[in-house]
Amino acid sequence: MNEPPEPRATGDWRAGLRAAGPYVGLGLQLAFTMVFFTGAGYLLDRTLGTSPWLLIAGALVGIAAIFIQIFRISAQMTARAERERRRRQRGGDPPS
Protein backbone atom coordinates (compact mmCIF):
# COMPACT_ATOMS: atom_id res chain seq x y z
CA MET A 1 0.00 0.00 0.00
CA ASN A 2 1.10 3.54 -0.61
CA GLU A 3 2.14 5.36 2.49
CA PRO A 4 2.22 9.15 2.53
CA PRO A 5 5.71 10.60 2.27
CA GLU A 6 7.29 11.67 5.50
CA PRO A 7 7.26 15.41 6.07
CA ARG A 8 10.59 17.15 5.68
CA ALA A 9 12.37 18.00 8.86
CA THR A 10 11.92 21.60 9.98
CA GLY A 11 15.66 21.77 10.47
CA ASP A 12 16.17 21.64 6.70
CA TRP A 13 13.79 24.54 6.21
CA ARG A 14 15.46 26.59 8.94
CA ALA A 15 18.91 25.84 7.57
CA GLY A 16 17.76 27.08 4.17
CA LEU A 17 16.44 30.30 5.67
CA ARG A 18 19.65 30.77 7.62
CA ALA A 19 21.70 30.28 4.45
CA ALA A 20 19.53 32.71 2.45
CA GLY A 21 19.49 35.38 5.16
CA PRO A 22 22.64 37.27 4.15
CA TYR A 23 21.52 37.43 0.52
CA VAL A 24 18.06 38.70 1.43
CA GLY A 25 19.67 41.31 3.67
CA LEU A 26 22.02 42.35 0.88
CA GLY A 27 19.15 42.73 -1.57
CA LEU A 28 17.18 44.87 0.84
CA GLN A 29 20.23 46.99 1.62
CA LEU A 30 20.85 47.66 -2.07
CA ALA A 31 17.19 48.45 -2.73
CA PHE A 32 16.94 50.86 0.20
CA THR A 33 20.15 52.58 -0.88
CA MET A 34 18.68 53.30 -4.30
CA VAL A 35 15.33 54.39 -2.86
CA PHE A 36 17.04 56.72 -0.38
CA PHE A 37 19.21 58.57 -2.88
CA THR A 38 16.54 58.76 -5.58
CA GLY A 39 13.97 59.90 -3.02
CA ALA A 40 16.34 62.54 -1.67
CA GLY A 41 16.89 63.84 -5.21
CA TYR A 42 13.14 63.92 -5.83
CA LEU A 43 12.44 65.82 -2.61
CA LEU A 44 15.21 68.31 -3.31
CA ASP A 45 13.85 68.81 -6.82
CA ARG A 46 10.41 69.60 -5.44
CA THR A 47 11.85 71.98 -2.87
CA LEU A 48 14.26 73.79 -5.17
CA GLY A 49 12.25 73.57 -8.40
CA THR A 50 15.10 71.98 -10.34
CA SER A 51 13.18 69.02 -11.71
CA PRO A 52 14.45 66.48 -12.91
CA TRP A 53 18.15 67.21 -12.38
CA LEU A 54 18.52 66.36 -8.71
CA LEU A 55 16.39 63.25 -9.17
CA ILE A 56 18.80 62.11 -11.89
CA ALA A 57 21.79 63.05 -9.74
CA GLY A 58 20.32 61.16 -6.79
CA ALA A 59 19.78 58.08 -8.95
CA LEU A 60 23.38 58.24 -10.21
CA VAL A 61 24.72 58.63 -6.67
CA GLY A 62 22.54 55.69 -5.62
CA ILE A 63 23.95 53.54 -8.42
CA ALA A 64 27.50 54.52 -7.44
CA ALA A 65 26.77 53.69 -3.79
CA ILE A 66 25.43 50.28 -4.82
CA PHE A 67 28.59 49.53 -6.82
CA ILE A 68 30.72 50.54 -3.83
CA GLN A 69 28.67 48.28 -1.53
CA ILE A 70 28.95 45.35 -3.93
CA PHE A 71 32.71 45.85 -4.19
CA ARG A 72 33.12 45.99 -0.39
CA ILE A 73 30.97 42.93 0.20
CA SER A 74 32.78 41.01 -2.53
CA ALA A 75 36.13 41.86 -0.95
CA GLN A 76 34.86 40.73 2.46
CA MET A 77 33.54 37.45 1.07
CA THR A 78 36.78 36.79 -0.79
CA ALA A 79 38.84 37.45 2.34
CA ARG A 80 36.56 35.20 4.40
CA ALA A 81 36.84 32.38 1.85
CA GLU A 82 40.63 32.75 1.78
CA ARG A 83 40.83 32.58 5.59
CA GLU A 84 38.65 29.47 5.55
CA ARG A 85 40.83 27.87 2.87
CA ARG A 86 43.98 28.57 4.89
CA ARG A 87 42.37 27.24 8.06
CA ARG A 88 41.43 24.01 6.31
CA GLN A 89 44.93 23.61 4.89
CA ARG A 90 46.52 24.06 8.30
CA GLY A 91 44.09 21.63 9.87
CA GLY A 92 44.68 19.00 7.23
CA ASP A 93 41.07 19.07 6.06
CA PRO A 94 40.69 18.79 2.31
CA PRO A 95 39.40 22.02 0.75
CA SER A 96 35.87 21.80 -0.56
Side-chain angles (χ1 to χ4, degrees), residues 34 37-46 50-64:
M34 191 66 192
F37 283 108
T38 304
Y42 174 77
L43 291 175
L44 285 172
D45 267 341
R46 286 190 62 192
T50 58
S51 184
W53 299 111
L54 294 178
L55 172 68
I56 294 169
L60 292 174
V61 170
I63 291 169

Side-chain angles (χ1 to χ4, degrees), residues 25-95:
L26 174 62
L28 288 173
Q29 184 180 8
L30 297 178
F32 286 133
T33 298
M34 191 66 192
V35 168
F36 173 78
F37 283 108
T38 304
Y42 174 77
L43 291 175
L44 285 172
D45 267 341
R46 286 190 62 192
T47 303
L48 301 174
T50 58
S51 184
W53 299 111
L54 294 178
L55 172 68
I56 294 169
L60 292 174
V61 170
I63 291 169
I66 286 172
F67 277 114
I68 291 169
Q69 285 178 328
I70 289 172
F71 178 75
R72 287 179 50 216
I73 291 168
S74 174
Q76 289 172 354
M77 290 175 74
T78 301
R80 187 177 304 136
E82 184 65 25
R83 282 193 307 269
E84 182 66 22
R85 186 185 64 78
R86 285 186 195 144
R87 185 189 65 79
R88 285 183 178 166
Q89 285 180 346
R90 281 193 311 260
D93 294 340

